[in-house]
Amino acid sequence: QVQLVESGGGLVQAGGSLRLSCAASGRTFSSYTMGWFRQAPGKEREFVAAINWRSESTYYADSVKGRFTISRDNAKNTVDLQMSSLKPEDTAVYYCAARPRVRAFSAIEVVTSYDYWGQGTQVTVSS
């Protein structure tokens, strides 16, 4: 079992930056591949980015590639999402998620492949 708590959301103007953080507690953080997802009003939850347990590999949705960067610190049990060049279409609730590292990056974008979720943090980008 692992508990996830996101922070860092807020209101930002288009073109601005924001850094989200997810703090994990419970079982060994390095046992998990970590991901970020988002859900806009009236839309399905969608994959944003993922990072493997040793930070060797990262994977991004095309919509955020080159603008967002995922990172993790296993000593601090945190995973961050640095978001730059934000657009109004990035407005959503952002969720941190975890799944066992043995699954590697198989089906990494699939919501149901993640076992644990945070409560989410709102990001609003104004035009």
mmCIF file of all heavy atoms in Angstrom, residues 42-82:
data_model
loop_
_atom_site.group_PDB
_atom_site.id
_atom_site.type_symbol
_atom_site.label_atom_id
_atom_site.label_comp_id
_atom_site.label_asym_id
_atom_site.label_seq_id
_atom_site.Cartn_x
_atom_site.Cartn_y
_atom_site.Cartn_z
ATOM 1 N N GLY A 42 -15.501 17.153 -17.962
ATOM 2 C CA GLY A 42 -16.218 16.502 -19.043
ATOM 3 C C GLY A 42 -15.374 15.595 -19.922
ATOM 4 O O GLY A 42 -15.862 15.091 -20.941
ATOM 5 N N LYS A 43 -14.125 15.391 -19.544
ATOM 6 C CA LYS A 43 -13.243 14.553 -20.358
ATOM 7 C C LYS A 43 -12.733 13.360 -19.555
ATOM 8 O O LYS A 43 -12.787 13.340 -18.330
ATOM 9 C CB LYS A 43 -12.067 15.372 -20.879
ATOM 10 C CG LYS A 43 -12.462 16.463 -21.865
ATOM 11 C CD LYS A 43 -11.245 17.090 -22.507
ATOM 12 C CE LYS A 43 -11.631 18.109 -23.558
ATOM 13 N NZ LYS A 43 -10.432 18.691 -24.236
ATOM 14 N N GLU A 44 -12.217 12.383 -20.297
ATOM 15 C CA GLU A 44 -11.620 11.222 -19.650
ATOM 16 C C GLU A 44 -10.266 11.587 -19.031
ATOM 17 O O GLU A 44 -9.591 12.523 -19.481
ATOM 18 C CB GLU A 44 -11.406 10.112 -20.686
ATOM 19 C CG GLU A 44 -12.685 9.582 -21.327
ATOM 20 C CD GLU A 44 -13.481 8.738 -20.358
ATOM 21 O OE1 GLU A 44 -12.863 7.960 -19.618
ATOM 22 O OE2 GLU A 44 -14.718 8.875 -20.344
ATOM 23 N N ARG A 45 -9.900 10.841 -18.019
ATOM 24 C CA ARG A 45 -8.574 11.020 -17.443
ATOM 25 C C ARG A 45 -7.526 10.572 -18.473
ATOM 26 O O ARG A 45 -7.677 9.527 -19.093
ATOM 27 C CB ARG A 45 -8.434 10.212 -16.154
ATOM 28 C CG ARG A 45 -7.194 10.514 -15.360
ATOM 29 C CD ARG A 45 -7.241 9.880 -13.986
ATOM 30 N NE ARG A 45 -8.362 10.397 -13.195
ATOM 31 C CZ ARG A 45 -8.544 10.141 -11.896
ATOM 32 N NH1 ARG A 45 -7.660 9.377 -11.254
ATOM 33 N NH2 ARG A 45 -9.594 10.623 -11.274
ATOM 34 N N GLU A 46 -6.485 11.384 -18.638
ATOM 35 C CA GLU A 46 -5.501 11.073 -19.662
ATOM 36 C C GLU A 46 -4.088 11.076 -19.102
ATOM 37 O O GLU A 46 -3.761 11.809 -18.164
ATOM 38 C CB GLU A 46 -5.583 12.061 -20.826
ATOM 39 C CG GLU A 46 -5.236 13.495 -20.477
ATOM 40 C CD GLU A 46 -5.208 14.395 -21.707
ATOM 41 O OE1 GLU A 46 -5.566 13.953 -22.815
ATOM 42 O OE2 GLU A 46 -4.802 15.572 -21.543
ATOM 43 N N PHE A 47 -3.252 10.281 -19.727
ATOM 44 C CA PHE A 47 -1.858 10.155 -19.338
ATOM 45 C C PHE A 47 -1.094 11.422 -19.675
ATOM 46 O O PHE A 47 -1.313 12.041 -20.720
ATOM 47 C CB PHE A 47 -1.252 8.961 -20.069
ATOM 48 C CG PHE A 47 0.230 8.828 -19.925
ATOM 49 C CD1 PHE A 47 0.782 8.265 -18.792
ATOM 50 C CD2 PHE A 47 1.071 9.271 -20.937
ATOM 51 C CE1 PHE A 47 2.153 8.144 -18.648
ATOM 52 C CE2 PHE A 47 2.444 9.144 -20.819
ATOM 53 C CZ PHE A 47 2.991 8.585 -19.671
ATOM 54 N N VAL A 48 -0.160 11.779 -18.787
ATOM 55 C CA VAL A 48 0.700 12.943 -19.018
ATOM 56 C C VAL A 48 2.165 12.523 -19.114
ATOM 57 O O VAL A 48 2.843 12.818 -20.099
ATOM 58 C CB VAL A 48 0.532 13.985 -17.897
ATOM 59 C CG1 VAL A 48 1.533 15.125 -18.072
ATOM 60 C CG2 VAL A 48 -0.896 14.520 -17.867
ATOM 61 N N ALA A 49 2.647 11.823 -18.087
ATOM 62 C CA ALA A 49 4.066 11.462 -18.070
ATOM 63 C C ALA A 49 4.288 10.323 -17.078
ATOM 64 O O ALA A 49 3.480 10.117 -16.174
ATOM 65 C CB ALA A 49 4.927 12.660 -17.677
ATOM 66 N N ALA A 50 5.398 9.604 -17.266
ATOM 67 C CA ALA A 50 5.767 8.525 -16.345
ATOM 68 C C ALA A 50 7.273 8.449 -16.233
ATOM 69 O O ALA A 50 8.006 8.866 -17.145
ATOM 70 C CB ALA A 50 5.190 7.200 -16.807
ATOM 71 N N ILE A 51 7.722 7.862 -15.119
ATOM 72 C CA ILE A 51 9.156 7.710 -14.874
ATOM 73 C C ILE A 51 9.392 6.377 -14.180
ATOM 74 O O ILE A 51 8.609 5.986 -13.305
ATOM 75 C CB ILE A 51 9.691 8.894 -14.038
ATOM 76 C CG1 ILE A 51 11.213 8.847 -13.908
ATOM 77 C CG2 ILE A 51 9.024 8.955 -12.667
ATOM 78 C CD1 ILE A 51 11.808 10.150 -13.372
ATOM 79 N N ASN A 52 10.449 5.674 -14.581
ATOM 80 C CA ASN A 52 10.678 4.376 -13.958
ATOM 81 C C ASN A 52 11.359 4.555 -12.602
ATOM 82 O O ASN A 52 11.704 5.661 -12.190
ATOM 83 C CB ASN A 52 11.466 3.453 -14.892
ATOM 84 C CG ASN A 52 12.956 3.746 -14.902
ATOM 85 O OD1 ASN A 52 13.361 4.887 -14.724
ATOM 86 N ND2 ASN A 52 13.757 2.716 -15.102
ATOM 87 N N TRP A 53 11.578 3.436 -11.911
ATOM 88 C CA TRP A 53 11.966 3.524 -10.506
ATOM 89 C C TRP A 53 13.350 4.112 -10.297
ATOM 90 O O TRP A 53 13.613 4.711 -9.254
ATOM 91 C CB TRP A 53 11.849 2.152 -9.839
ATOM 92 C CG TRP A 53 12.863 1.143 -10.285
ATOM 93 C CD1 TRP A 53 12.881 0.454 -11.469
ATOM 94 C CD2 TRP A 53 14.008 0.699 -9.566
ATOM 95 N NE1 TRP A 53 13.953 -0.381 -11.522
ATOM 96 C CE2 TRP A 53 14.669 -0.265 -10.362
ATOM 97 C CE3 TRP A 53 14.543 1.009 -8.316
ATOM 98 C CZ2 TRP A 53 15.820 -0.901 -9.947
ATOM 99 C CZ3 TRP A 53 15.689 0.364 -7.908
ATOM 100 C CH2 TRP A 53 16.317 -0.571 -8.721
ATOM 101 N N ARG A 54 14.250 3.971 -11.285
ATOM 102 C CA ARG A 54 15.599 4.514 -11.118
ATOM 103 C C ARG A 54 15.829 5.790 -11.930
ATOM 104 O O ARG A 54 16.967 6.215 -12.095
ATOM 105 C CB ARG A 54 16.640 3.465 -11.525
ATOM 106 C CG ARG A 54 16.728 2.308 -10.555
ATOM 107 C CD ARG A 54 18.007 1.521 -10.731
ATOM 108 N NE ARG A 54 18.063 0.844 -12.019
ATOM 109 C CZ ARG A 54 19.004 -0.042 -12.336
ATOM 110 N NH1 ARG A 54 19.967 -0.325 -11.475
ATOM 111 N NH2 ARG A 54 18.995 -0.628 -13.507
ATOM 112 N N SER A 55 14.737 6.365 -12.430
ATOM 113 C CA SER A 55 14.813 7.594 -13.240
ATOM 114 C C SER A 55 15.622 7.400 -14.513
ATOM 115 O O SER A 55 16.111 8.375 -15.087
ATOM 116 C CB SER A 55 15.425 8.753 -12.425
ATOM 117 O OG SER A 55 14.690 8.997 -11.262
ATOM 118 N N GLU A 56 15.730 6.169 -14.975
ATOM 119 C CA GLU A 56 16.472 5.893 -16.209
ATOM 120 C C GLU A 56 15.623 6.186 -17.434
ATOM 121 O O GLU A 56 16.140 6.525 -18.498
ATOM 122 C CB GLU A 56 16.896 4.423 -16.239
ATOM 123 C CG GLU A 56 17.852 4.026 -15.135
ATOM 124 C CD GLU A 56 17.961 2.509 -15.040
ATOM 125 O OE1 GLU A 56 16.919 1.827 -15.186
ATOM 126 O OE2 GLU A 56 19.075 2.028 -14.807
ATOM 127 N N SER A 57 14.324 6.006 -17.284
ATOM 128 C CA SER A 57 13.433 6.137 -18.430
ATOM 129 C C SER A 57 12.255 7.036 -18.082
ATOM 130 O O SER A 57 11.704 6.956 -16.984
ATOM 131 C CB SER A 57 12.893 4.770 -18.856
ATOM 132 O OG SER A 57 13.934 3.905 -19.214
ATOM 133 N N THR A 58 11.897 7.861 -19.023
ATOM 134 C CA THR A 58 10.706 8.699 -18.905
ATOM 135 C C THR A 58 9.891 8.577 -20.180
ATOM 136 O O THR A 58 10.418 8.193 -21.239
ATOM 137 C CB THR A 58 11.054 10.174 -18.667
ATOM 138 O OG1 THR A 58 11.896 10.627 -19.743
ATOM 139 C CG2 THR A 58 11.769 10.374 -17.348
ATOM 140 N N TYR A 59 8.620 8.902 -20.055
ATOM 141 C CA TYR A 59 7.723 8.794 -21.210
ATOM 142 C C TYR A 59 6.688 9.889 -21.072
ATOM 143 O O TYR A 59 6.180 10.139 -19.985
ATOM 144 C CB TYR A 59 7.061 7.417 -21.225
ATOM 145 C CG TYR A 59 6.216 7.145 -22.436
ATOM 146 C CD1 TYR A 59 6.791 6.926 -23.683
ATOM 147 C CD2 TYR A 59 4.826 7.088 -22.342
ATOM 148 C CE1 TYR A 59 6.022 6.673 -24.795
ATOM 149 C CE2 TYR A 59 4.054 6.837 -23.453
ATOM 150 C CZ TYR A 59 4.643 6.630 -24.672
ATOM 151 O OH TYR A 59 3.870 6.385 -25.767
ATOM 152 N N TYR A 60 6.384 10.549 -22.203
ATOM 153 C CA TYR A 60 5.480 11.694 -22.185
ATOM 154 C C TYR A 60 4.389 11.560 -23.233
ATOM 155 O O TYR A 60 4.618 11.002 -24.315
ATOM 156 C CB TYR A 60 6.248 12.988 -22.455
ATOM 157 C CG TYR A 60 7.286 13.323 -21.409
ATOM 158 C CD1 TYR A 60 8.598 12.908 -21.551
ATOM 159 C CD2 TYR A 60 6.936 14.060 -20.278
ATOM 160 C CE1 TYR A 60 9.555 13.207 -20.598
ATOM 161 C CE2 TYR A 60 7.888 14.368 -19.312
ATOM 162 C CZ TYR A 60 9.193 13.936 -19.477
ATOM 163 O OH TYR A 60 10.136 14.242 -18.519
ATOM 164 N N ALA A 61 3.248 12.118 -22.912
ATOM 165 C CA ALA A 61 2.206 12.272 -23.923
ATOM 166 C C ALA A 61 2.693 13.287 -24.953
ATOM 167 O O ALA A 61 3.406 14.239 -24.614
ATOM 168 C CB ALA A 61 0.908 12.758 -23.269
ATOM 169 N N ASP A 62 2.297 13.092 -26.185
ATOM 170 C CA ASP A 62 2.717 14.013 -27.248
ATOM 171 C C ASP A 62 2.317 15.452 -26.941
ATOM 172 O O ASP A 62 3.028 16.393 -27.302
ATOM 173 C CB ASP A 62 2.109 13.581 -28.582
ATOM 174 C CG ASP A 62 2.762 12.324 -29.133
ATOM 175 O OD1 ASP A 62 3.864 11.962 -28.674
ATOM 176 O OD2 ASP A 62 2.156 11.689 -30.020
ATOM 177 N N SER A 63 1.191 15.622 -26.286
ATOM 178 C CA SER A 63 0.671 16.963 -26.032
ATOM 179 C C SER A 63 1.529 17.772 -25.070
ATOM 180 O O SER A 63 1.415 19.004 -25.022
ATOM 181 C CB SER A 63 -0.763 16.882 -25.485
ATOM 182 O OG SER A 63 -0.777 16.118 -24.285
ATOM 183 N N VAL A 64 2.388 17.109 -24.296
ATOM 184 C CA VAL A 64 3.199 17.823 -23.306
ATOM 185 C C VAL A 64 4.699 17.682 -23.567
ATOM 186 O O VAL A 64 5.511 18.319 -22.879
ATOM 187 C CB VAL A 64 2.886 17.358 -21.869
ATOM 188 C CG1 VAL A 64 1.390 17.470 -21.585
ATOM 189 C CG2 VAL A 64 3.385 15.953 -21.612
ATOM 190 N N LYS A 65 5.055 16.870 -24.534
ATOM 191 C CA LYS A 65 6.466 16.611 -24.822
ATOM 192 C C LYS A 65 7.183 17.921 -25.139
ATOM 193 O O LYS A 65 6.709 18.725 -25.933
ATOM 194 C CB LYS A 65 6.574 15.639 -25.988
ATOM 195 C CG LYS A 65 7.862 14.866 -26.045
ATOM 196 C CD LYS A 65 7.766 13.776 -27.108
ATOM 197 C CE LYS A 65 6.776 12.707 -26.741
ATOM 198 N NZ LYS A 65 6.732 11.607 -27.722
ATOM 199 N N GLY A 66 8.336 18.116 -24.500
ATOM 200 C CA GLY A 66 9.107 19.338 -24.704
ATOM 201 C C GLY A 66 8.703 20.476 -23.784
ATOM 202 O O GLY A 66 9.405 21.492 -23.703
ATOM 203 N N ARG A 67 7.576 20.341 -23.102
ATOM 204 C CA ARG A 67 7.101 21.404 -22.195
ATOM 205 C C ARG A 67 7.104 20.943 -20.742
ATOM 206 O O ARG A 67 7.314 21.745 -19.835
ATOM 207 C CB ARG A 67 5.691 21.845 -22.578
ATOM 208 C CG ARG A 67 5.571 22.402 -23.982
ATOM 209 C CD ARG A 67 4.182 23.001 -24.230
ATOM 210 N NE ARG A 67 3.112 22.024 -24.098
ATOM 211 C CZ ARG A 67 2.096 22.126 -23.237
ATOM 212 N NH1 ARG A 67 2.020 23.157 -22.421
ATOM 213 N NH2 ARG A 67 1.148 21.202 -23.204
ATOM 214 N N PHE A 68 6.837 19.670 -20.514
ATOM 215 C CA PHE A 68 6.761 19.121 -19.163
ATOM 216 C C PHE A 68 7.951 18.199 -18.919
ATOM 217 O O PHE A 68 8.425 17.515 -19.836
ATOM 218 C CB PHE A 68 5.478 18.307 -18.979
ATOM 219 C CG PHE A 68 4.209 19.108 -18.948
ATOM 220 C CD1 PHE A 68 4.160 20.440 -19.327
ATOM 221 C CD2 PHE A 68 3.015 18.501 -18.557
ATOM 222 C CE1 PHE A 68 2.986 21.160 -19.304
ATOM 223 C CE2 PHE A 68 1.831 19.201 -18.527
ATOM 224 C CZ PHE A 68 1.819 20.538 -18.902
ATOM 225 N N THR A 69 8.391 18.156 -17.647
ATOM 226 C CA THR A 69 9.475 17.259 -17.260
ATOM 227 C C THR A 69 9.112 16.557 -15.959
ATOM 228 O O THR A 69 8.765 17.213 -14.972
ATOM 229 C CB THR A 69 10.789 18.032 -17.060
ATOM 230 O OG1 THR A 69 11.139 18.714 -18.273
ATOM 231 C CG2 THR A 69 11.918 17.083 -16.679
ATOM 232 N N ILE A 70 9.187 15.240 -15.979
ATOM 233 C CA ILE A 70 8.926 14.456 -14.783
ATOM 234 C C ILE A 70 10.250 14.062 -14.146
ATOM 235 O O ILE A 70 11.221 13.761 -14.844
ATOM 236 C CB ILE A 70 8.069 13.212 -15.108
ATOM 237 C CG1 ILE A 70 7.624 12.503 -13.828
ATOM 238 C CG2 ILE A 70 8.800 12.266 -16.052
ATOM 239 C CD1 ILE A 70 6.597 11.388 -14.064
ATOM 240 N N SER A 71 10.285 14.074 -12.814
ATOM 241 C CA SER A 71 11.491 13.674 -12.087
ATOM 242 C C SER A 71 11.075 13.066 -10.751
ATOM 243 O O SER A 71 9.945 13.265 -10.295
ATOM 244 C CB SER A 71 12.411 14.873 -11.856
ATOM 245 O OG SER A 71 11.761 15.874 -11.082
ATOM 246 N N ARG A 72 11.989 12.329 -10.146
ATOM 247 C CA ARG A 72 11.674 11.725 -8.856
ATOM 248 C C ARG A 72 12.914 11.741 -7.975
ATOM 249 O O ARG A 72 14.044 11.782 -8.461
ATOM 250 C CB ARG A 72 11.153 10.302 -9.017
ATOM 251 C CG ARG A 72 12.156 9.306 -9.533
ATOM 252 C CD ARG A 72 11.491 7.959 -9.840
ATOM 253 N NE ARG A 72 11.020 7.290 -8.629
ATOM 254 C CZ ARG A 72 10.182 6.259 -8.656
ATOM 255 N NH1 ARG A 72 9.713 5.809 -9.806
ATOM 256 N NH2 ARG A 72 9.821 5.675 -7.523
ATOM 257 N N ASP A 73 12.669 11.692 -6.677
ATOM 258 C CA ASP A 73 13.733 11.620 -5.690
ATOM 259 C C ASP A 73 13.373 10.490 -4.733
ATOM 260 O O ASP A 73 12.518 10.668 -3.856
ATOM 261 C CB ASP A 73 13.865 12.958 -4.952
ATOM 262 C CG ASP A 73 15.056 13.002 -4.014
ATOM 263 O OD1 ASP A 73 15.488 11.931 -3.538
ATOM 264 O OD2 ASP A 73 15.534 14.100 -3.739
ATOM 265 N N ASN A 74 14.005 9.340 -4.902
ATOM 266 C CA ASN A 74 13.664 8.179 -4.079
ATOM 267 C C ASN A 74 14.052 8.373 -2.620
ATOM 268 O O ASN A 74 13.476 7.746 -1.735
ATOM 269 C CB ASN A 74 14.302 6.928 -4.651
ATOM 270 C CG ASN A 74 13.634 6.467 -5.938
ATOM 271 O OD1 ASN A 74 12.528 6.904 -6.269
ATOM 272 N ND2 ASN A 74 14.310 5.608 -6.677
ATOM 273 N N ALA A 75 15.029 9.213 -2.356
ATOM 274 C CA ALA A 75 15.424 9.477 -0.966
ATOM 275 C C ALA A 75 14.359 10.291 -0.237
ATOM 276 O O ALA A 75 14.192 10.151 0.983
ATOM 277 C CB ALA A 75 16.757 10.205 -0.933
ATOM 278 N N LYS A 76 13.645 11.122 -0.988
ATOM 279 C CA LYS A 76 12.602 11.971 -0.391
ATOM 280 C C LYS A 76 11.201 11.440 -0.637
ATOM 281 O O LYS A 76 10.228 12.013 -0.167
ATOM 282 C CB LYS A 76 12.710 13.392 -0.939
ATOM 283 C CG LYS A 76 14.000 14.105 -0.581
ATOM 284 C CD LYS A 76 14.016 15.516 -1.140
ATOM 285 C CE LYS A 76 15.310 16.237 -0.769
ATOM 286 N NZ LYS A 76 15.334 17.623 -1.334
ATOM 287 N N ASN A 77 11.096 10.353 -1.402
ATOM 288 C CA ASN A 77 9.789 9.773 -1.732
ATOM 289 C C ASN A 77 8.880 10.774 -2.443
ATOM 290 O O ASN A 77 7.697 10.924 -2.094
ATOM 291 C CB ASN A 77 9.089 9.261 -0.471
ATOM 292 C CG ASN A 77 9.706 7.994 0.068
ATOM 293 O OD1 ASN A 77 10.715 7.502 -0.459
ATOM 294 N ND2 ASN A 77 9.134 7.455 1.127
ATOM 295 N N THR A 78 9.447 11.461 -3.411
ATOM 296 C CA THR A 78 8.659 12.440 -4.153
ATOM 297 C C THR A 78 8.825 12.264 -5.662
ATOM 298 O O THR A 78 9.858 11.783 -6.129
ATOM 299 C CB THR A 78 9.053 13.881 -3.795
ATOM 300 O OG1 THR A 78 10.450 14.061 -4.065
ATOM 301 C CG2 THR A 78 8.766 14.188 -2.337
ATOM 302 N N VAL A 79 7.801 12.645 -6.376
ATOM 303 C CA VAL A 79 7.862 12.721 -7.832
ATOM 304 C C VAL A 79 7.281 14.072 -8.231
ATOM 305 O O VAL A 79 6.233 14.476 -7.720
ATOM 306 C CB VAL A 79 7.121 11.552 -8.506
ATOM 307 C CG1 VAL A 79 5.673 11.472 -8.081
ATOM 308 C CG2 VAL A 79 7.244 11.640 -10.023
ATOM 309 N N ASP A 80 7.975 14.779 -9.089
ATOM 310 C CA ASP A 80 7.580 16.115 -9.488
ATOM 311 C C ASP A 80 7.232 16.179 -10.968
ATOM 312 O O ASP A 80 7.695 15.352 -11.764
ATOM 313 C CB ASP A 80 8.715 17.112 -9.220
ATOM 314 C CG ASP A 80 8.954 17.329 -7.747
ATOM 315 O OD1 ASP A 80 8.126 16.886 -6.925
ATOM 316 O OD2 ASP A 80 9.983 17.942 -7.408
ATOM 317 N N LEU A 81 6.439 17.180 -11.295
ATOM 318 C CA LEU A 81 6.127 17.460 -12.697
ATOM 319 C C LEU A 81 6.354 18.952 -12.913
ATOM 320 O O LEU A 81 5.576 19.774 -12.413
ATOM 321 C CB LEU A 81 4.686 17.083 -13.034
ATOM 322 C CG LEU A 81 4.310 17.228 -14.504
ATOM 323 C CD1 LEU A 81 5.039 16.172 -15.346
ATOM 324 C CD2 LEU A 81 2.798 17.091 -14.696
ATOM 325 N N GLN A 82 7.416 19.280 -13.615
ATOM 326 C CA GLN A 82 7.701 20.663 -13.967
ATOM 327 C C GLN A 82 6.994 20.984 -15.270
ATOM 328 O O GLN A 82 7.232 20.326 -16.288
ATOM 329 C CB GLN A 82 9.202 20.887 -14.122
ATOM 330 C CG GLN A 82 9.578 22.286 -14.571
ATOM 331 C CD GLN A 82 9.260 23.338 -13.525
ATOM 332 O OE1 GLN A 82 9.558 23.157 -12.346
ATOM 333 N NE2 GLN A 82 8.638 24.427 -13.947
#
